[in-house]
């Protein structure tokens, strides 16, 4: 089992920045690829970003590429999502997820999920 706890969400004005963190506990964190997903009210959950277990590969959705940066610290068992130039359409519940093996854009490929942290961007 891997337990995931997100933090760092909040209310920010458009154009601002937030940094989300996800702390993992349980099995060896470095063996898991990590992803961030988000879900806005009335919408389906969507992929945001992912980072491979070996930190050698990152992937972003087109909607956040160039604005968000995913990173991980295997020594601290954390994964972060730096979000810059935030837009109102970025408002959602952001959740981190873990999967053994390589990263994926598919939510169904992830075995472990956190509870999420709310991000609200005002216009």
């Amino acid at each position: 089992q891997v337990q995931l706890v997100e933090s760092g969400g909040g209310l920010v004005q458009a154009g601002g920045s937030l940094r989300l963190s996800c702390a993992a506990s349980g099995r060896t964190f470095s063996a898991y690829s990590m992803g961030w997903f988000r879900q806005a009210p009335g919408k389906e959950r969507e992929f945001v970003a992912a980072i491979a277990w070996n930190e050698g590969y990152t992937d972003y959705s087109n909607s956040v590429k160039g604005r968000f940066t995913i990173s991980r610290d295997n020594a601290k068992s954390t994964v972060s999502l730096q979000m810059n130039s935030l837009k109102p359409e970025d408002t959602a519940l952001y959740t981190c997820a873990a999967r053994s093996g390589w990263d994926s854009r598919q939510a169904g490929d992830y075995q472990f999920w956190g509870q999420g942290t709310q991000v609200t961007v005002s216009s």
Side-chain angles (χ1 to χ4, degrees):
Q1 284 285 78
V2 175
Q3 292 79 42
L4 303 171
V5 179
E6 302 92 339
S7 62
L11 174 65
V12 64
Q13 289 188 333
S17 299
L18 281 175
R19 185 177 181 87
L20 305 184
S21 294
C22 175
S25 61
R27 294 186 177 178
T28 305
F29 178 73
S30 59
Y32 290 85
S33 293
M34 302 297 296
W36 283 97
F37 292 80
R38 67 186 183 186
Q39 187 168 19
K43 295 187 177 181
E44 293 187 353
R45 181 166 52 192
E46 65 172 339
F47 168 77
V48 176
I51 185 167
W53 60 274
N54 63 355
E55 304 178 62
Y57 181 77
T58 57
D59 188 24
Y60 299 91
S61 68
N62 288 337
S63 61
V64 308
K65 191 175 296 183
R67 300 188 297 123
F68 291 10
T69 303
I70 189 171
S71 60
R72 65 188 295 162
D73 185 336
N74 285 343
K76 297 182 178 180
S77 297
T78 59
V79 60
S80 298
L81 185 69
Q82 178 66 43
M83 305 186 297
N84 298 329
S85 302
L86 283 162
K87 305 175 182 180
E89 51 264 43
D90 294 319
T91 296
L93 181 70
Y94 285 71
T95 307
C96 70
R99 75 178 300 264
S100 57
W102 293 102
D103 59 295
S104 169
R105 291 189 170 204
Q106 303 303 316
D109 288 340
Y110 289 80
Q111 291 91 21
F112 305 104
W113 292 82
Q115 295 298 309
T117 185
Q118 179 66 38
V119 172
T120 303
V121 184
S122 62
S123 57

